Amino acid sequence: MSAPNVPPQVPAPAPNVLPQVPAPAPMPPAAAAPSTELPRHHVHHSYIWLESVRTIFIIAVCVVVANFSTIIGLVAEEGMGAEAGFIMAVAGIGTLVVILITFGIVAGLRVVGYKHLYFTVGPDEFTLCSGIFNKKQVHVPYQRVQSVDQRATLLQRLFGVCTVSIDTAGGAANKAVVVPYVTKAQAEWLRAELYNRKNALAAQAAVASGMAGAASATATGMAGAPVPQSVEAGVAAMAQGAAAFAGNVPSPAVAGNVLDVGAEAWSQVGGVFAGPAQDTGRVTYEYGLTNKELFFAGLSNTTSVGLIFAGLVVGVLQIVSFIFDVMGDAADGAVESAVAFAGSQASAYLIGAVSVGIIVLVLVLWVFSALGSCIGYGGFKARRRNNRIEVEYGLLQHTFQGIDIDRVQSVVVKQSFIRRLLGYCELSLGKIDAATGEDSGNKQNTLANQGIIIHPFVKMNRVPEILAGLVPEFSDLPQEAKPVAKVALRRAVLRQSIWFGGGFWLAVVVTVCLMVFGWVNGEVATGGIELDSEDLFLLSIGWNVIVVGGYALAAVLFIVDIVNAVLWARESSFAYNHRFMQVSNGGLSRETVSFPRQKIQFGCTKSNPLQRRAGTDTLLATTAAGSGGTTTTLIDASHADAMAWLDWLKPGGNQ
């Protein structure tokens, strides 16, 4: 007879009792533990003398500008006599002494500040220490690093130093952490170190999340459950990175232009204190600018032309005012002669010559502005390195921008009127920008609300190729666009040509001015208002210019507003799928913004009484791009499409 199947007796576990360990004896001072203080990395010593020279130069320019009007007034009153010369010499010597004393004070402060300006790279965070009297420590956890940029002026490039700006994911609430005057090698090492430590911490978190998910699935008997989204994203990123390093991602030949020779020379020379080049990872995709793209990018920049021309106009007006002040009573006779000359036939030739001269001057300014823009884009390169995007440009003043792909908020395709005529666009990436950083007396400007321009002037048919190579994560953009409502055309014409139309309101202003001038002429004719010859001259010129030129410009602007409204109604639309949303606003200039659904901070619709009567709504989607967030707007979408979009925007919608 077999023995009964009795389970073996397993001894009960012993109670969890901690062993009694005697307390350690106190360590004598001589055997104290070694210090674990992190090594301090000081900025380059050029911070002392280059920053002092820059500060003194600014002070000297301000002093000269402030004393210029005083010197001109002295010459106008006293003439170029011995007394005026003596006063000018004394003023010059005094100014030089003040500048030298100021230079000594500034240099002394820089020497003391240099000793207290350093950074450390710890296991979890980056720390920047500064301040002489008021000590300041800025701690940046590696997970919060948004982008690492570097910029160098011409003087900094000559000496091989630059300024590093570390942006965190705080937008306008935070300032960029600025590390001034580090060598080029030190900047490259710091950038690679920050990204490597950030990626290492992210990988540890992903592994820990994956292990926790697997343990939970095993414990609950759900081994076939889907892998968490964070682990899937981490596995996909690692697979993509492995494929890129294996050479499976093709990289086209880098386009070149005539200015790339200068950029290569800068790279080889580096600067006096640049240091050896650092290995920051393998590049899997890279491109530059062709000669045609560089030329068009330079010509498209007209902002500096307007500023220079406005400055020249203001300067001419100041000179005319100074001449009237110097001439005194003799100015009345000159004005009377000018008024008489204005009625002669010779004045027409003079006006024509002046007009041609102004046109030639504007063209010359445009050419110089284009050359400056081309030099500013010299050496342009955009590349994909590991999981981050890098853009650098600038032949004289160099700018380097780098951002992780997970920090990209949007892709923006922008076409100005000139770019639309030529079939080109400006391609940029929206990112979170910190506010203007200021540290240790160094101010650093950011490209807030502009993001990173990854191509300033590119053919529209090349955009898909660039996005596929540089940001393949944005390859699944929506294709089926929903246009604005049909009634949007009528509303756009009224809105852009009447309510907000520049031409319509300019005509109103010209009409009001015409009525005022008519009243003034009537009062002058009846003797109610007495004007001298100078005022009459200015009044006669203003009458003709304001009436004729104003109405002509108003008519042109009114037609442009109508054309822009029609194009906007035809081309504006929005689209969305399970991952992305895309908004296009057309017109004479066009902009298309594409952003992931997970980057939308919040979205809403709004409508005024007129829109509700027309059955339309305005869509607003806000992302964290820029220094305070960016809201992408589409006016007059149909009410049904707007409600469907709100359903998609809800958690779990359209999955």
Side-chain angles (χ1 to χ4, degrees):
M1 185 173 180
S2 61
N5 188 10
V6 179
Q9 298 295 325
V10 179
N16 189 12
V17 179
L18 296 176
Q20 299 296 326
V21 180
M27 184 177 295
S35 175
T36 58
E37 184 179 358
L38 297 172
R40 298 180 177 182
H41 302 275
H42 284 272
V43 301
H44 194 259
H45 57 75
S46 60
Y47 166 80
I48 301 173
W49 38 279
L50 281 181
E51 191 68 10
S52 300
V53 170
R54 186 183 71 89
T55 304
I56 292 304
F57 177 77
I58 295 174
I59 293 175
V61 170
C62 294
V63 170
V64 170
V65 172
N67 292 333
F68 180 76
S69 58
T70 304
I71 295 174
I72 294 298
L74 179 63
V75 173
E77 293 179 1
E78 304 293 339
M80 291 300 295
E83 183 178 356
F86 176 76
I87 295 176
M88 292 174 60
V90 171
I93 295 174
T95 301
L96 181 60
V97 171
V98 171
I99 291 176
L100 292 177
I101 295 176
T102 307
F103 178 79
I105 297 175
V106 171
L109 292 176
R110 293 297 176 188
V111 171
V112 179
Y114 170 76
K115 297 180 180 180
H116 297 84
L117 179 60
Y118 61 90
F119 63 90
T120 60
V121 181
D124 300 317
E125 63 183 6
F126 167 87
T127 303
L128 177 66
C129 300
S130 61
I132 302 175
F133 302 105
N134 297 322
K135 301 294 184 180
K136 181 179 180 181
Q137 288 188 359
V138 182
H139 301 272
V140 181
Y142 299 124
Q143 298 94 328
R144 300 300 182 188
V145 174
Q146 164 76 10
S147 61
V148 182
D149 305 335
Q150 67 186 59
R151 293 175 175 84
T153 63
L154 177 59
L155 194 60
Q156 286 179 322
R157 294 202 74 181
L158 291 175
F159 289 95
V161 296
C162 62
T163 297
V164 176
S165 177
I166 304 173
D167 286 356
T168 58
N174 289 348
K175 290 184 178 181
V177 179
V178 177
V179 186
Y181 288 90
V182 296
T183 64
K184 184 179 178 182
Q186 195 176 21
E188 293 176 351
W189 170 83
L190 179 60
R191 183 171 63 252
E193 193 71 13
L194 291 176
Y195 281 126
N196 290 338
R197 290 175 181 267
K198 175 183 177 180
N199 294 334
L201 291 176
Q204 293 177 5
V207 171
S209 176
M211 294 177 62
S216 176
T218 303
T220 56
M222 298 178 61
V227 183
Q229 185 176 1
S230 59
V231 179
E232 286 183 343
V235 172
M238 288 187 287
Q240 182 180 0
F245 278 102
N248 296 332
V249 179
S251 180
V254 179
N257 55 71
V258 293
L259 295 183
D260 284 344
V261 178
E264 291 295 332
W266 269 117
S267 300
Q268 294 177 3
V269 174
V272 180
F273 308 109
Q278 304 291 314
D279 184 12
T280 56
R282 182 182 176 184
V283 175
T284 56
Y285 187 85
E286 185 176 14
Y287 60 89
L289 301 180
T290 63
N291 287 320
K292 183 169 67 173
E293 291 171 346
L294 179 66
F295 177 73
F296 283 151
L299 289 181
S300 63
N301 184 18
T302 58
T303 303
S304 57
V305 177
L307 294 177
I308 295 175
F309 186 74
L312 289 176
V313 172
V314 173
V316 170
L317 293 178
Q318 289 181 347
I319 293 174
V320 171
S321 177
F322 172 73
I323 291 175
F324 273 108
D325 293 338
V326 172
M327 294 180 64
D329 296 336
D332 294 337
V335 171
E336 292 178 358
S337 301
V339 172
F341 177 76
S344 62
Q345 185 177 3
S347 64
Y349 297 103
L350 179 60
I351 293 175
V354 171
S355 301
V356 172
I358 292 175
I359 294 174
V360 172
L361 178 62
V362 171
L363 291 177
V364 171
L365 292 177
W366 191 15
V367 170
F368 278 104
S369 175
L371 291 176
S373 298
C374 291
I375 294 174
Y377 282 118
F380 181 93
K381 291 292 183 295
R383 64 182 68 93
R384 177 66 179 259
R385 191 191 302 271
N386 297 337
N387 63 335
R388 65 180 183 268
I389 299 161
E390 299 176 351
V391 177
E392 61 177 325
Y393 55 89
L395 198 60
L396 299 181
Q397 300 188 35
H398 187 258
T399 299
F400 181 99
Q401 296 175 281
I403 181 175
D404 270 358
I405 184 60
D406 60 341
R407 299 299 183 183
V408 176
Q409 299 289 312
S410 60
V411 174
V412 182
V413 180
K414 187 181 298 184
Q415 288 182 287
S416 62
F417 176 68
I418 300 298
R419 286 182 172 88
R420 288 207 65 176
L421 292 179
L422 299 176
Y424 284 77
C425 70
E426 178 189 271
L427 194 58
S428 62
L429 302 178
K431 70 181 185 72
I432 306 175
D433 283 320
T436 301
E438 182 178 353
D439 197 0
S440 300
N442 190 298
K443 293 184 178 181
Q444 184 68 39
N445 294 327
T446 59
L447 297 177
N449 298 322
Q450 295 183 10
I452 297 181
I453 298 177
I454 58 177
H455 206 301
F457 213 97
V458 62
K459 271 281 189 181
M460 285 294 297
N461 55 16
R462 278 197 60 200
V463 171
E465 171 198 336
I466 291 177
L467 295 182
L470 200 65
V471 283
E473 294 80 1
F474 281 75
S475 60
D476 189 20
L477 295 178
Q479 301 296 327
E480 298 181 2
K482 300 180 183 295
V484 295
K486 293 182 179 180
V487 72
L489 174 60
R490 172 177 58 84
R491 288 177 46 79
V493 171
L494 292 175
R495 181 175 61 252
Q496 298 189 25
S497 62
I498 302 297
W499 309 123
F500 302 104
F504 173 78
W505 290 108
L506 179 59
V508 172
V509 171
V510 172
T511 303
V512 173
C513 292
L514 185 63
M515 296 172 60
V516 172
F517 285 146
W519 175 79
V520 171
N521 275 340
E523 292 294 324
V524 171
T526 59
I529 298 179
E530 296 183 359
L531 297 176
D532 56 14
S533 55
E534 179 183 350
D535 294 333
L536 287 174
F537 175 70
L538 295 177
L539 183 62
S540 62
I541 293 178
W543 180 276
N544 296 326
V545 171
I546 292 178
V547 173
V548 178
Y551 277 127
L553 181 60
V556 173
L557 291 178
F558 186 76
I559 296 174
V560 170
D561 290 337
I562 293 178
V563 173
N564 185 58
V566 173
L567 292 177
W568 178 88
R570 290 182 177 180
E571 300 174 347
S572 298
S573 62
F574 74 103
Y576 53 87
N577 57 19
H578 64 290
R579 290 186 58 203
F580 292 95
M581 180 179 179
Q582 188 175 79
V583 177
S584 297
N585 280 283
L588 295 176
S589 60
R590 184 176 182 179
E591 181 177 281
T592 300
V593 184
S594 305
F595 41 89
R597 172 179 174 163
Q598 62 181 357
K599 299 294 185 180
I600 300 177
Q601 303 290 321
F602 61 89
C604 64
T605 63
K606 67 178 184 179
S607 60
N608 55 42
L610 295 178
Q611 284 182 307
R612 289 192 292 273
R613 182 177 179 181
T616 62
D617 292 278
T618 298
L619 308 183
L620 301 97
T622 301
T623 62
S627 61
T630 299
T631 300
T632 304
T633 304
L634 181 67
I635 303 175
D636 287 340
S638 68
H639 181 71
D641 291 340
M643 294 301 101
W645 175 72
L646 283 180
D647 291 336
W648 170 83
L649 200 60
K650 296 177 181 178
N654 194 27
Q655 295 294 319

